[in-house]
Amino acid sequence: MKEPLLSVENLHTYFETPEGLSRAVDGVSFAIERGETLALVGESGCGKSMTALSLLQLVPEPAGYIESGKVVFNGRDLLDHSWEEMRAVRGRDISMIFQEPMTSLNPTFTVGWQVTETLWIHGTARGRDAWNRAVELLEHVGLDNPAQAMRQYPHELSGGMRQRVMIAIALANRPQLLIADEPTTALDVTVQAQILDLIRSLQEEMGMAVLLITHDLGIVSRMADHVAVMYAGQIVEYAPARLLFAEPQHPYTRCLFASRPTRAQRGKSLATLEGTVPDPAAWPPACRFEPRCPWRAGLCARVSPRSLDTGPGRTARCHLFDPDTLAAPFAEVAP
């Protein structure tokens, strides 16, 4: 059986805080096949971005650390790599588009310097060759005047242009995996569509895999092959995108879908998901969604649910799908 490009197994990333131990990523597992797009979705504070930073050993230190787990990429566990070995992986084999391009790009260096830097650091090109390659990259990602943009500073570009520069930097060395963390945040709808089309076309051209982190289910439906729904540091549901949108299973996923605006709901009030994601230093002791769940029963506050197979390529972490616990407590509330 062919191994996936990336396999994350039981990943735990913790932070020491004045409030106690914050378990931001708490037993996360998923896999990404070559050339596919996996969407990691959920509300802010669920641990999506910290999962991505853990893959590249970029967890903020000294408070943060990776407690345990495996991140197997091309058959090698990245968590066994030294800092220098990871520097060779970042930007070459795995690249990342960060949430906010204005804070990700260095305001004191020109765009040209920042694009060429990633080329010469990894030995892809140097000197005039690196400059010409950078101009080609900026043109490839849709900048109208790439030669001029090379001499400009980030603050001289619009949000959409800065995001395109970030994509050019991320793709400069033709990575096997692109991590896109909220790649369309703060962009208007037209620019969002352009950026998503650009990522998809470059993915098809280069054959790379994409880990797409977002809370926008519209983007997920457009881009993803598989979806991992994350809540309170855990994956609560995993499924092929078409099956998830046809029939979401986990109560949290159902609540997210119910809050989406649709044509059928035009003129009606949208459903709301009451409450907020709990503090990572004080996760609920059993089911972490229990305090907000419309289908909760007494058992949910006492026993942690298992992640169970619920169909071909599907899993859900909920007592509603556990034959050992799905009995009288759920008889009246099961959907």
Side-chain angles (χ1 to χ4, degrees), residues 187-256:
L187 300 178
D188 64 56
V189 175
T190 302
V191 178
Q192 280 187 20
Q194 292 172 353
I195 295 298
L196 294 174
D197 287 341
L198 174 62
I199 292 175
R200 185 163 54 184
S201 64
L202 293 172
Q203 177 186 16
E204 293 173 356
E205 176 186 328
M206 300 170 64
M208 66 183 176
V210 174
L211 174 59
L212 176 64
I213 299 172
T214 184
H215 60 267
D216 189 327
L217 293 174
I219 292 176
V220 174
S221 66
R222 181 175 179 176
M223 299 285 291
D225 298 301
H226 289 83
V227 184
V229 181
M230 194 166 185
Y231 184 79
Q234 298 177 330
I235 302 295
V236 296
E237 183 168 358
Y238 178 90
R242 60 180 180 81
L243 296 181
L244 186 83
F245 277 81
E247 185 186 4
Q249 294 182 333
H250 193 277
Y252 177 59
T253 313
R254 293 173 184 165
C255 289
L256 290 181

Side-chain angles (χ1 to χ4, degrees), residues 243-325:
L243 296 181
L244 186 83
F245 277 81
E247 185 186 4
Q249 294 182 333
H250 193 277
Y252 177 59
T253 313
R254 293 173 184 165
C255 289
L256 290 181
F257 273 71
S259 66
R260 290 188 306 158
T262 63
R263 291 182 179 179
Q265 292 172 309
R266 183 172 297 175
K268 302 178 182 178
S269 298
L270 291 176
T272 58
L273 176 55
E274 300 296 333
T276 60
V277 179
D279 188 328
W283 294 136
C287 174
R288 296 181 181 179
F289 187 57
E290 183 270 337
R292 307 171 71 189
C293 182
W295 296 283
R296 64 183 178 271
L299 178 71
C300 302
R302 301 192 307 270
V303 180
S304 296
R306 301 181 294 169
S307 184
L308 299 165
D309 292 337
T310 58
R314 303 196 68 167
T315 63
R317 185 186 295 270
C318 182
H319 289 303
L320 287 171
F321 301 97
D322 193 334
D324 295 335
T325 58

